[in-house]
């Protein structure tokens, strides 16, 4: 994904104090997720999960977000 390491825009209380900038960063991230072709984006940060899903929803995109452990759990379940 292009700029995968870029901030999603939540940044703790950054989104509270800089809401419009946070939304713009989220929109950029959502666009990069869409362009990647991924069905899901995973992160270990609960705040990023919320911000990313909101950004994807606001953009009307079908991708979903989740915790990396969801992917690990799904992979383990397939092995059983």
């Amino acid at each position: 994904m292009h700029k995968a390491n870029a901030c999603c825009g939540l940044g703790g209380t950054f989104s509270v104090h800089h809401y419009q900038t946070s939304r713009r960063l989220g929109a950029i991230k959502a666009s990069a997720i869409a362009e990647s072709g991924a069905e899901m984006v995973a992160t270990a940060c609960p705040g990023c999960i919320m911000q990313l899903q909101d950004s994807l929803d606001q953009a009307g995109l079908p991708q979903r977000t989740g915790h990396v452990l969801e992917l690990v759990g799904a992979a383990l379940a397939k092995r059983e």
Side-chain angles (χ1 to χ4, degrees), residues 9-35:
L10 183 74
T13 60
F14 179 83
S15 63
V16 174
H17 297 288
H18 305 284
Y19 181 73
Q20 293 304 322
T21 301
S22 174
R23 301 280 302 160
R24 284 193 297 276
L25 291 171
I28 291 167
K29 196 70 164 182
S31 177
I33 293 166
E35 289 173 13

